[in-house]
Amino acid sequence: MNAIAKLILKARKIVFKFGSNTLTGGDGRINSTLLAEFAEQADAFLKQGKQIVIVSSGAQVAGLSAMDRWDRKRDIHYRQALCAVGQVKLMNAWEKAFTPQGIHIAQILLTRDDFTDNTRTLNMRNTLFTLVDEGIVPIINENDSVSVEEIKIGDNDTLAAQSAILWSADLLVLFSDIDGLYDKNPRNHADAQLTEEVRDITAARRSATGETAGGEADGGAGEFGTGGIITKLDAAERVVSYGIPMILAHGGRKRALESLADGTGQGTAFLA
Ligand code: ADP
């Protein structure tokens, strides 16, 4: 059994994060087939006694597909309004995916302040525990409609890591549009090799981001992704420091979750 399959087998409480490029098939619309397939696999996990929290990006993309006439508006108010529209679409898509399994979902929208204020943190933790104990799948996103730049968490890799720590998860799985961490950016280097296990994040970061002495890096995000590989490495560092391992894998692969669990899928395990 490989490291990833072992991590999944052992974990009872798992946070899954979906990046926006993963949730949308290249056409900028939510990929409802992918969501439905994930919900089926998640249901099998729940039946095995595992617990699940989802961190889902994609509000802005979903908003854009609904309000395409706002396509070129870069103004912050429009972008926040877009997220407000898109968040409804996003949650509708998740609800549609989980309904056939008879599973309820719940929406939790957070800002950076929620993680710095002790009372809010405690409330959030209690809410998460209550939802999950009742068999409901919480779906977390940043509350982009109220978060201006200065108070933003900024990217959902960080939000996912913070949520995993807050909920005392056993494992964080980042589903991205890439099969895992490569030794260099696979979009620019055809000979890039997938790293299966990472124990030393500092060393992995240096090589993966092509960081030079001047600090220039090569770890960019996709059109709708805000993080790129750097925020994924930051997330790994954060959770691993709390003893929580992380897996980075491609969420768009067929039966992605099942194949990671049975050892046939590819990915990178960041070991705690
Ligand atoms: P998401 O929307 O899932 O958060 P991002 O687009 O933000 O995804 O980040 C993933 C992207 O990071 C990959 O598609 C890839 O182009 C880029 N990337 C840069 N360097 C690397 C690397 N060393 N290994 C893997 N991906 C990398």
Side-chain angles (χ1 to χ4, degrees):
M1 192 185 281
N2 67 16
I4 289 184
K6 266 190 211 149
L7 288 177
I8 294 178
L9 181 72
K10 259 179 51 189
R12 197 173 71 90
K13 299 167 72 176
I14 311 179
V15 174
F16 292 97
K17 181 254 172 178
F18 286 84
S20 23
N21 297 320
T22 311
L23 285 178
T24 56
D27 64 354
R29 290 174 190 279
I30 300 278
N31 181 347
S32 46
T33 314
L34 181 132
L35 265 57
E37 212 183 87
F38 176 77
E40 261 177 55
Q41 299 167 81
D43 183 40
F45 267 39
L46 294 171
K47 291 197 170 107
Q48 290 165 28
K50 294 190 190 294
Q51 298 183 327
I52 283 172
V53 168
I54 294 173
V55 175
S56 177
S57 306
Q60 195 169 334
V61 193
L64 206 50
S65 63
M67 310 293 292
D68 49 4
R69 65 201 156 86
W70 288 2
D71 200 6
R72 298 197 181 285
K73 296 192 189 292
R74 290 278 161 236
D75 171 77
I76 177 84
H77 301 301
Y78 273 97
R79 274 196 287 141
Q80 293 191 304
L82 208 52
C83 291
V85 173
Q87 184 63 27
V88 179
K89 306 271 171 214
L90 182 62
M91 293 309 286
N92 273 339
W94 277 116
E95 180 166 50
K96 227 171 120 199
F98 275 101
T99 298
Q101 325 300 329
I103 295 169
H104 290 291
I105 58 159
Q107 170 183 260
I108 301 187
L109 294 175
L110 301 174
T111 63
R112 197 167 74 188
D113 287 348
D114 295 322
F115 288 95
T116 53
D117 177 305
N118 284 344
T119 313
R120 289 190 194 196
T121 309
L122 190 65
N123 287 340
M124 224 155 74
R125 195 175 145 86
N126 288 337
T127 306
L128 274 180
F129 274 93
T130 306
L131 288 168
V132 165
D133 282 347
E134 291 298 327
I136 296 165
V137 175
I139 303 191
I140 301 177
N141 197 1
E142 177 152 25
N143 194 350
D144 286 310
S145 302
V146 303
S147 295
V148 287
E149 222 52 62
E150 299 74 45
I151 59 155
K152 250 183 184 311
I153 298 168
D155 67 88
N156 276 354
D157 298 322
T158 306
L159 176 62
Q162 288 178 319
S163 304
I165 293 163
L166 177 89
W167 182 47
S168 310
D170 302 316
L171 177 65
L172 169 62
V173 179
L174 297 186
F175 275 133
S176 185
D177 61 351
I178 197 91
D179 281 314
L181 176 74
Y182 285 79
D183 58 354
K184 39 194 160 177
N185 187 346
R187 304 247 184 262
N188 306 336
H189 305 274
D191 61 340
Q193 299 280 327
L194 183 76
T195 311
E196 287 182 356
E197 279 183 38
V198 173
R199 286 170 197 277
D200 179 349
I201 295 174
T202 314
R205 185 194 300 273
R206 210 172 296 128
S207 124
T209 60
E211 214 172 85
T212 61
E216 275 178 47
D218 179 26
E223 189 188 352
F224 287 104
T226 44
I229 202 66
I230 296 169
T231 54
K232 291 171 184 42
L233 291 165
D234 290 345
E237 196 158 32
R238 209 181 263 261
V239 290
V240 162
S241 77
Y242 279 82
I244 304 170
M246 187 183 104
I247 295 168
L248 173 62
H250 198 311
R253 297 274 176 248
K254 204 161 174 38
R255 313 293 292 181
L257 179 52
E258 271 171 19
S259 62
L260 290 175
D262 68 20
T264 56
Q266 276 189 313
T268 302
F270 295 83
L271 302 169

